[in-house]
Amino acid sequence: MAMNYNAKDEVDGGPPCAPGGTAKTRRPDNTAFKQQRLPAWQPILTAGTVLPIFFIIGLIFIPIGIGIFVTSNNIREIEIDYTGTEPSSPCNKCLSPDVTPCICTINFTLEKSFEGNVFMYYGLSNFYQNHRRYVKSRDDSQLNGDSSALLNPSKECEPYRRNEDKPIAPCGAIANSMFNDTLELFLIGNDSYPMPIALKKKGIAWWTDKNVKFRNPPGGDNNLEERFKGTTKPVNWLKPVYMLDSDQDNNGFINEDFIVWMRTAALPTFRKLYRLIERKSDLHPTLPAGRYYLNITYNYPVHYFDGRKRMILSTISWMGGKNPFLGIAYIAVGSISFLLGVVLLVINHKYRNSSNTADITI
Amino acid sequence: MTEALQWFRYHWRRLIGGATRDDDSRPYNYSSLLACGGKSSQTPKLAGKHRIVVPHLQAFKDEYEKFSGAYVNNRIRTTKYTLLNFVPRNLFEQFHRKEKKYIDRCWKDVTVGDFIRLSCNEVIPADMILLFSTDPDGICHIETSGLDGESNLKQRQVVRGYAEQDSEVDPEKFSSRIECESPNNDLSRFRGFLEHSNKERVGLSKENLLLRGCTIRNTEAVVGIVVYAGHETKAMLNNSGPRYKRSQLERRANTDVLWCVLLLVIMCLTGAVGHGIWLSRYEKMHFFNIPEPDGHTISPLLAGFYMFWTMIILLQVLIPISLYVSIEIVKLGQIYFIQSDVDFYNEKMDSTVQCRALNIAEDLGQIQYLFSDKTGTLTENKMVFRRCSVAGFDYCHEENAKRLESYQEAVSEDEDFTDTLSGSVSNMAKPRVPSCGTVHNGPLGNKPSNHLAGSSFNLRSGEGASEVPHSRQAAFSSPIETDVVPDTRLLDKFSQITPRLFMPLDETIQNPPLETLYIVDFFIALAICNTVVVSAPNQPRQKIRHPSLGGMPIKSLEEIKNLFQRLSVRRSSSPSLTSGKEPSSGVPNAFVSRLPLFSRMKLASPVEEEVSQMCESPQCSSSSACCTETEKQHSDGGLLNGKVESLSGQPLACNLCYEAESPDEAALVYAARAYQCTLQSRTPEQVMVDFAALGPLTFQLLHILPFDSVRKRMSVVVRHPLSNQVVVYTKGADSVIMELLSVASPDGASLEKQQMIIREKTQKHLDDYAKHGLRTLCIAKKVMSDAEYAEWLRNHFLAETSIDNREELLLESAMRLENKLTLLGATGIEDRLQEGVPESIEALHKAGIKMWMLTGDKQETAVNIAYACKLLEPDDKLFILSTQSKDACGMLMSTILKELQKKTQALPEQVSLNVDLPQPPVPQDSGLRAGLVITGKTLEFALQESLQKQFLELTSWCRAVVCCRATPLQKSEVVKLVRSHLQVMTLAIGDGANDVSMIQVADIGIGVSGQEGMQAVMASDFAISQFKHLSKLLLVHGHWCYTRLSNMILYFFYKNVAYVNLLFWYQFFCGFSGTSMTDYWVLIFFNLLFTSAPPVIYGVLEKDVSAEILMELPELYKSGQKSEAYLAHTFWITLLDAFYQSLVCFFVPYFIYQDSDIDIFAFGNPLNTAALFIILLHLVIESKSLTWIHMLVIIGSILSYFLFAIIFGAMCVTCNPPSNPYWIMQEHMLDPVFYLVCILTTCIALLPRFVYRVLQGSLFPSPILRAKHFDRLTPEERTEALKKWRGAGKMNQVTSKNANQSAGKSGRRPMPESSAVFAMKSATSCAFEQGNLSLCETALDQGCSETKAFEMAGPSKG
């Protein structure tokens, strides 16, 4: 019985394995990938092989650096600190909270005229707009015009979420602490009558912010007050959000000063674009050299956290504002790499014969 | 569910581990007799010292109902198990009380006391006692390959008293009680007894036990009672979990992860303190200290405390959690490449390297000590009968040696040599004549093997026994082993054998030539003193049954006549007769000798049911088989005609298949067969031997004392058919047998003197054999009177049936039998060196790996193999440690140490210095090259606590250590000692069950899947098929895996630290408030997506030096041994570099964007981008080879980053507050400053490392860097350069050796004449060494040199 079983098995088992005799082995495929013989670039880092790289880096970086440096140097920039902590400062009087509204005036002189468009910034120092809890304290949905978020802001806004049982619009610490000084620039011409410089309010925020990210709440007609009905202003604000500007296109959440403020600065010392001074014609400089005075409505207290406030006027180039570091860094790196190239040239020359790698490579 | 879990656990253990033995058997302290019943499927814990098994007959009913629904047909369903379903849902029959039949049950339902009926080819589900077998002799054959990998069949016997029953055991009537020992993991031992209801006891032994996991073969059906089930089975108890191995590299990485944790805590503390201080300045400022919802503000202290945890959340990326995932992936990739290396493929076995452990591949690159087994690892474990010495005469079998030579050359192509026709010298001339074997084998596939191997292969495929992981050749049956060309001189002496020698009547013949008698006894001993199972290939594994036993029905006289004629014709046409020197009287002799057989046949037992087995007579079956084969052959296209003759010439020889437990035994049986002393069949009662001149002899087998390692011998007690005496044949190690020889022979002085002479001569031959590296065995016999035997038997029976200290009693009993022996002769069996072993060992030596050979063999053999495989060089200074006491051992060691120190002062320092120099290390052969040989007994002393240190110091001086006569336990102790005391990486390689402990103790265990089964492989981490693969595995893959993984781990640390520090630096500018300037998603994805693939690819594909160069320059391996790629300071340097790069990456943008109108997340964007470029380009700098895959992945990473940033920036208007990535990337991409910043930052950050690498490359290149240059050269230039490299510091002699090596790697090395021992190398032949006459003189006695002269003429004849 068992024998039969075996015999049958043998007959049955034999043939199937016969035809496919060559098919099934465990031999691994002899492919370049499986045998790890893929063609490979094998960089060997020796002085001889990398010499060109250093020289090329040097040759590229130095001109770039010089270009940037020159561009940066051509940028005109003037900073006027109006914090008023010094007793001599015209704004010193505004440090006490009693004087409201406090207006101070600072004179300054432009030695050279500012060509092209001029950006007017306000700069704050030692202001930690990047504090984690501060950064969090906003509701993007509310700012985006979401009507439910308008009346029920995110919890992140606490404790600036509700005031007197009304939701705050815009809620949060960032909005609450919005910069609210007003800066006006006057050119003191030859005649005694000072000429105000036209400061453009619009165009200072990112286009996408103004048109996509920030939106007023929907509803009704042009009456913004109606749209913000049921909300209250942030605690520190003097007027509600729908009264930021008379221009309907720059009011409410889409007020560009507000939008700029809401883009929290990366570092404790920062500047924010305040106004644009557009070039009127090619013939006249935008800001001719001369005496100017800055009229400040001083509302924003920074002195008690040792902060500073500045007004900055700056022309711009393709690379933005004045920035000497970039150019210098490029020049430095280019020089270093050039220098290293020379050192390696010496090394390569010196060690070519003594090291037996060299006689193999060459 | 639990079952699935258990299955998983078991399966998992099996995957990882394999069989281990831990000797602590479970304690069974409570003593209450167990009534094994009830329904619990789990066997209750055992009772008392012994276990009582009571037949388990209840509770079948409900079980039946449960299962009968599912399996109505009561069909046997057998599932083949693969690795994935190891515990097969094998259903088997089980007795059902009510229905009086067996029912199908699952394995898990088997409980102790169950009756189980199994059919052929079923896997045994539990340990059970064999009660019934359909085999009339009460035998059951099992294959244990599932347990130990041995593919030969083993016999198990029905319990005594049950064998006689012709009907099946009726479980209903089974009323006996079984008492056996408590469950333990000893596979080779089982003790117990079966007590009948009348208090009569029957002893139970291992022979009665069917172990779980084995397969029933060749037996139609068996019935047994379960004694151990489930986890108590021996197979399961042997599966104790293995040591969990963790690679050294990973351990180091773990400590560095702890450093990272410390770093994290420091950083978080800095943040917390900083925040506290910062906040205390602005405590009242609601701008910064934003009040809680309820209007309160928190104090700076509390805020600082909170900040600590905030920082931990923010910076936790520093802890490279993803590192572990990546490591696993990289390891998988590495394993994949190791396994698909075509160089590891072994065509003969159709196997490649198996990586069983997935997590220690990189340890392969750091091995410092290698422990190797000898037999089967360095050698092939193909035992080849080489020489023998009978009655004091050495027969050196030169033709055989020559045949082996030719094999050796052809062996690399295939083993298709088929001169299966032993005895025909003429066959030597045409070695490629296909025989019936190949024809038979032909349709089976592409396996080049002889018919024996082929047939067993056939069997496997036929029976679906593919449980064997890969089909292997049948054990011990390659033609090399099976074919022995007889020594012509010995054949001459055979001619003197006539049956008359044994006729008691012929005592009158004066002086029966004692030598002839010795020869006869010698070969009979070779043939029967073993446990070989005989099977025929065309009825595979079916026991060959002799007519006289099975009751062959002879139908008519005519048939007998036919048979007769066929036999006689065949005999006369046998080429062996014509070519051999058999006298003309040979044919009549054969006739005469056959007569009694036939007369006996007629008298034989009545015809039984086995009518169909008529053709089972070997002659009949074989001739018919050969006929059909020849026909087939003709139809296949008409092959050589001459073959037909040769086929019919030796029909018996080509149709018997021997299955032996050890290769030695098989070799001896095959050797005996070559001298026409063919083992025909074996049953428990009888052994049939077909002796050429004497005809078939049937020995009544009275007793077998099996081999054990204590006695080192085995004996059979038979009744000699001719002299009718009780004869004991003993075969064993020479040292043991020599002591047991009779001192005073009763037969008178002359005989005694002769014995003494034989003894001396044999001893001389034995020494000589050992010198040649042969394994020696002594054959002896003893004639007993019936009375003596009866008395011994009585005592032995007592010993057998006792349970307590049975082993000792049996040993004593054996001692009583095996004494006063008469020495017949000795055999020398060659264990040939594996291909490529010397080259591999040489390469490993050069790689700085210290190699130890641990073997159980005797000193001479071990030392010779060590020389042959280049473990020891001829000019090495060899120290031999062989002492009898501990003190002497210590003394000797200190003497040797002193000598060594004197000789080579300050050499070790020199060596260690050399390593770091750019020059290739100066080889040590300038002064010191020592080898140490230590014997097992001395090793025991050396391993003791007090001498350990000295021993290790001594061994550290030696380039190779050989431990001979070492037990498996000693092997593992040695490994443990070296591993723990020297703090080195150890690798153990072995192939047998005796190496398992060593393999498991070592850092890496490698199993050679060879002849000795799967146990070593199961316990190993890697399994290779040949020793020579080890060199590539270590030198190439080990090196690669190590450098790859260590570089990748370092890179990972670098990557995380560099990136996370950006966040940390930012804290200094945001009041330590825990702000991140990056969007959280980017933060998460940065590690998860953008920078995860490149390091993995780097870890898998990095190739610092090509495989060819690594093989050519094994010295390069040393960098891994010293962990050069990943030292403690490397980690800190990497961290420093990471700090520097993160500083650059943060502060360059910081200075650029300082006092500008940039917002937080716009500031983070260039930081991220620059960091991405820095991190990826850092990898490019570190990579030694970049393929298109690298490029693809790096470019893909960069693209995915930008894509993500752009898409996220476009889609996410209000999502994910407070970070607002909206349109930031788009803005930046239009801004030239962004690009300028990124380029500048990347350049500055990478400059130092780049410059360092360049300077390293040109000023102080590591050997690996220099070796890398070779890859760029053309082959000719490369050989030139390699020569220069090697030659740089070496002596002239070494260079010449190397030139020799490069000239022909495969070629044999010329032998230095200086060393006599070395010249004996693999002991291939005497003829091989004939150039060295003085040597040959020692090797051969005068008789041999005669044949040598004969042999010189021989080849011209053939």
Side-chain angles (χ1 to χ4, degrees), chain B residues 785-954:
Chain B
S785 68
D786 284 356
E788 279 174 324
Y789 175 67
E791 199 201 330
W792 174 81
L793 195 62
R794 202 160 39 82
N795 288 329
H796 186 72
F797 187 70
L798 282 178
E800 259 186 344
T801 45
S802 68
I803 276 195
D804 300 316
N805 57 20
R806 179 165 158 186
E807 262 82 51
E808 294 84 60
L809 288 174
L810 280 176
L811 183 65
E812 253 174 55
S813 171
M815 293 289 274
R816 276 200 299 277
L817 185 73
E818 296 160 330
N819 54 20
K820 296 182 187 160
L821 302 169
T822 313
L823 184 67
L824 295 172
T827 56
I829 295 171
E830 182 188 358
D831 189 6
R832 293 180 337 129
L833 217 56
Q834 273 182 25
E835 193 193 342
V837 167
E839 288 83 4
S840 298
I841 291 186
E842 207 176 8
L844 294 177
H845 258 310
K846 274 194 200 157
I849 298 174
K850 291 210 166 190
M851 205 167 148
W852 292 40
M853 185 166 93
L854 309 174
T855 174
D857 260 329
K858 62 166 116 20
Q859 188 183 321
E860 296 80 13
T861 321
V863 170
N864 279 300
I865 292 287
Y867 274 116
C869 66
K870 298 247 167 159
L871 189 60
L872 297 169
E873 295 281 347
D875 43 354
D876 279 357
K877 199 161 171 48
L878 197 63
F879 298 100
I880 294 173
L881 265 182
S882 174
T883 55
Q884 295 301 316
S885 76
K886 192 180 158 189
D887 296 338
C889 175
M891 290 269 287
L892 192 58
M893 283 204 285
S894 56
T895 326
I896 295 174
L897 259 179
K898 258 181 218 153
E899 192 184 335
L900 280 170
Q901 275 158 354
K902 207 164 56 195
K903 262 199 172 163
T904 57
Q905 275 169 354
L907 197 86
E909 290 84 9
Q910 192 192 339
V911 171
S912 61
L913 263 181
N914 276 334
V915 171
D916 291 325
L917 289 178
Q919 276 93 23
V922 180
Q924 303 180 27
D925 52 1
S926 46
L928 168 85
R929 279 187 116 170
L932 183 74
V933 178
I934 185 164
T935 57
K937 207 165 189 181
T938 322
L939 193 59
E940 208 169 290
F941 305 130
L943 288 178
Q944 281 169 17
E945 197 98 15
S946 52
L947 289 180
Q948 275 178 0
K949 257 192 146 169
Q950 211 178 1
F951 177 58
L952 286 175
E953 195 187 346
L954 178 58

Side-chain angles (χ1 to χ4, degrees), chain B residues 298-342:
Chain B
I298 40 177
S299 73
L301 205 67
L302 195 62
F305 177 74
Y306 286 160
M307 189 46 59
F308 179 79
W309 302 107
T310 312
M311 292 291 250
I312 282 193
I313 292 169
L314 184 71
L315 304 178
Q316 42 82 22
V317 190
L318 193 67
I319 312 297
I321 305 294
S322 55
L323 174 65
Y324 289 99
V325 182
S326 303
I327 286 178
E328 293 308 311
I329 296 172
V330 165
K331 281 176 173 176
L332 274 183
Q334 290 177 343
I335 296 278
Y336 169 78
F337 278 118
I338 292 177
Q339 285 193 327
S340 54
D341 191 330
V342 78

Side-chain angles (χ1 to χ4, degrees), chain B residues 955-1017:
Chain B
T955 55
S956 65
W957 286 87
C958 303
R959 58 176 243 144
V961 179
V962 176
C963 301
C964 38
R965 294 285 189 215
T967 63
L969 192 67
Q970 276 182 332
K971 285 182 181 183
S972 71
E973 270 175 10
V974 166
V975 177
K976 223 183 276 175
L977 178 76
V978 170
R979 200 175 93 94
S980 57
H981 282 247
L982 297 182
Q983 306 283 328
V984 289
M985 289 293 284
T986 54
L987 179 146
I989 179 168
D991 75 319
N994 57 342
D995 307 315
V996 168
S997 55
M998 166 169 95
I999 283 173
Q1000 285 185 327
V1001 163
D1003 292 292
I1004 291 190
I1006 293 192
V1008 177
S1009 43
Q1011 307 252 329
E1012 276 192 43
M1014 300 297 290
Q1015 274 193 3
V1017 172

Side-chain angles (χ1 to χ4, degrees), chain B residues 252-278:
Chain B
R252 171 160 278 165
N254 282 346
T255 57
D256 286 342
V257 168
L258 287 183
W259 282 115
C260 280
V261 172
L262 189 70
L263 195 69
L264 174 72
V265 170
I266 291 174
M267 282 161 68
C268 291
L269 276 177
T270 315
V273 171
H275 187 65
I277 293 170
W278 179 84

Side-chain angles (χ1 to χ4, degrees), chain B residues 1272-1337:
Chain B
R1272 297 195 157 182
L1273 306 179
T1274 60
E1276 298 86 49
E1277 284 174 327
R1278 190 189 289 184
T1279 31
E1280 195 66 22
L1282 280 173
K1283 227 190 237 173
K1284 226 184 240 174
W1285 169 297
R1286 291 208 194 97
K1290 296 203 176 183
M1291 315 252 153
N1292 288 340
Q1293 79 195 69
V1294 186
T1295 335
S1296 68
K1297 210 182 253 174
N1298 283 327
N1300 191 6
Q1301 185 194 23
S1302 50
K1305 249 182 139 181
S1306 56
R1308 278 163 159 263
R1309 229 51 71 73
M1311 285 174 236
E1313 293 92 322
S1314 57
S1315 159
V1317 228
F1318 181 67
M1320 291 318 204
K1321 221 186 147 161
S1322 50
T1324 36
S1325 71
C1326 311
F1328 183 76
E1329 295 135 12
Q1330 47 184 303
N1332 202 336
L1333 257 176
S1334 62
L1335 271 176
C1336 241
E1337 279 306 313

Side-chain angles (χ1 to χ4, degrees), chain A residues 1 5-6 9 18 26 34-36 41-43 130 132-133 140 213 264 266 271 304 323 330 356 361, chain B residues 121 285 336 340 342 350 443 462 469 1044 1066 1069 1073 1075 1103 1152 1159-1160 1186 1220 1236 1266 1268 1272:
Chain A
M1 178 59 187
Y5 180 66
N6 279 348
D9 252 15
R26 287 157 186 264
K34 280 198 167 184
Q35 301 309 316
Q36 308 189 56
W41 177 54
Q42 302 193 308
N130 54 13
R132 185 172 55 87
R133 296 186 57 208
D140 277 334
K213 205 166 144 186
T264 48
R271 61 176 74 169
Y304 61 93
N323 190 349
Y330 262 92
N356 63 356
T361 36
Chain B
N121 298 330
M285 266 298 298
Y336 169 78
S340 54
V342 78
D350 188 31
R1044 283 168 179 174
Y1066 188 61
F1069 300 94
S1073 60
T1075 315
K1103 211 161 87 172
I1152 288 170
D1159 71 296
I1160 296 179
L1186 294 161
N1220 218 316
L1236 289 173
R1266 295 195 304 130
K1268 218 178 125 191
R1272 297 195 157 182

